[in-house]
Amino acid sequence: MHCALRCGAKTRLGHPCKSPAIHGKERCRMHGGKSTGRPSTPSSIFRKGYLIERREWRKQLKDMKTMLLELNKIQLKRN
Protein backbone atom coordinates (compact mmCIF):
# COMPACT_ATOMS: atom_id res chain seq x y z
CA MET A 1 0.00 0.00 0.00
CA HIS A 2 2.78 2.44 0.83
CA CYS A 3 4.41 1.73 -2.59
CA ALA A 4 1.25 2.57 -4.58
CA LEU A 5 1.10 5.63 -6.80
CA ARG A 6 -0.33 8.70 -5.10
CA CYS A 7 -3.42 10.54 -6.24
CA GLY A 8 -1.86 13.91 -7.01
CA ALA A 9 -5.10 15.92 -6.92
CA LYS A 10 -4.76 19.23 -5.15
CA THR A 11 -6.35 19.57 -1.73
CA ARG A 12 -8.06 22.71 -0.46
CA LEU A 13 -4.75 23.87 0.93
CA GLY A 14 -3.07 23.43 -2.44
CA HIS A 15 -0.98 20.42 -1.46
CA PRO A 16 -1.12 17.18 -3.46
CA CYS A 17 -3.40 14.44 -2.11
CA LYS A 18 -1.49 11.70 -0.31
CA SER A 19 -4.05 8.92 -0.76
CA PRO A 20 -3.12 5.95 -2.93
CA ALA A 21 -4.51 6.01 -6.47
CA ILE A 22 -6.92 3.27 -7.50
CA HIS A 23 -5.31 0.43 -9.45
CA GLY A 24 -5.22 1.43 -13.13
CA LYS A 25 -6.30 5.02 -12.44
CA GLU A 26 -4.53 8.26 -11.62
CA ARG A 27 -6.83 9.45 -8.82
CA CYS A 28 -7.93 8.11 -5.45
CA ARG A 29 -11.48 7.08 -4.59
CA MET A 30 -12.21 10.52 -3.16
CA HIS A 31 -11.09 12.43 -6.27
CA GLY A 32 -12.91 10.53 -9.00
CA GLY A 33 -10.92 7.37 -9.59
CA LYS A 34 -13.56 4.84 -8.62
CA SER A 35 -16.72 5.65 -10.57
CA THR A 36 -17.99 7.93 -13.31
CA GLY A 37 -21.63 7.71 -12.31
CA ARG A 38 -24.63 5.51 -11.91
CA PRO A 39 -24.93 2.69 -14.45
CA SER A 40 -27.90 2.82 -16.81
CA THR A 41 -30.15 -0.12 -16.05
CA PRO A 42 -33.54 -0.74 -17.69
CA SER A 43 -35.31 0.34 -14.51
CA SER A 44 -33.36 3.61 -14.26
CA ILE A 45 -34.03 4.37 -17.94
CA PHE A 46 -37.76 3.74 -17.38
CA ARG A 47 -37.75 5.92 -14.25
CA LYS A 48 -36.01 8.73 -16.12
CA GLY A 49 -38.59 8.59 -18.92
CA TYR A 50 -41.40 8.58 -16.38
CA LEU A 51 -39.98 11.65 -14.65
CA ILE A 52 -39.64 13.53 -17.94
CA GLU A 53 -43.22 12.67 -18.87
CA ARG A 54 -44.49 13.75 -15.46
CA ARG A 55 -42.62 17.05 -15.77
CA GLU A 56 -44.30 17.68 -19.15
CA TRP A 57 -47.75 16.94 -17.68
CA ARG A 58 -47.14 19.38 -14.84
CA LYS A 59 -46.11 22.08 -17.31
CA GLN A 60 -49.28 21.51 -19.34
CA LEU A 61 -51.43 21.68 -16.19
CA LYS A 62 -49.77 24.91 -15.16
CA ASP A 63 -50.39 26.39 -18.62
CA MET A 64 -54.06 25.35 -18.44
CA LYS A 65 -54.46 26.94 -15.01
CA THR A 66 -53.03 30.24 -16.23
CA MET A 67 -55.35 30.15 -19.27
CA LEU A 68 -58.38 29.55 -17.02
CA LEU A 69 -57.38 32.43 -14.75
CA GLU A 70 -57.05 34.73 -17.77
CA LEU A 71 -60.47 33.65 -19.08
CA ASN A 72 -62.02 34.30 -15.67
CA LYS A 73 -60.51 37.80 -15.63
CA ILE A 74 -61.94 38.50 -19.09
CA GLN A 75 -65.40 37.30 -18.04
CA LEU A 76 -65.32 39.42 -14.88
CA LYS A 77 -64.47 42.52 -16.94
CA ARG A 78 -67.45 41.89 -19.25
CA ASN A 79 -69.92 41.62 -16.36
Side-chain angles (χ1 to χ4, degrees):
M1 187 74 142
H2 66 279
C3 295
L5 293 174
R6 298 294 151 188
C7 173
K10 287 193 177 183
T11 62
R12 292 180 182 177
L13 295 175
H15 303 293
C17 176
K18 297 176 183 173
S19 298
I22 291 180
H23 182 70
K25 306 275 183 166
E26 294 181 0
R27 301 289 184 209
C28 68
R29 64 185 178 87
M30 300 297 285
H31 292 110
K34 189 169 186 176
S35 175
T36 58
R38 185 178 188 177
S40 293
T41 61
S43 63
S44 68
I45 292 169
F46 172 77
R47 187 173 27 240
K48 190 174 185 180
Y50 169 75
L51 292 174
I52 290 170
E53 188 174 316
R54 193 171 89 182
R55 192 176 301 137
E56 290 172 0
W57 275 100
R58 283 186 177 173
K59 185 180 182 298
Q60 288 179 358
L61 282 173
K62 185 178 178 183
D63 292 342
M64 283 190 234
K65 283 181 182 179
T66 55
M67 281 187 356
L68 283 173
L69 288 173
E70 288 175 13
L71 287 172
N72 283 338
K73 287 180 185 178
I74 292 171
Q75 282 186 342
L76 289 174
K77 286 181 181 180
R78 287 185 181 174
N79 293 335

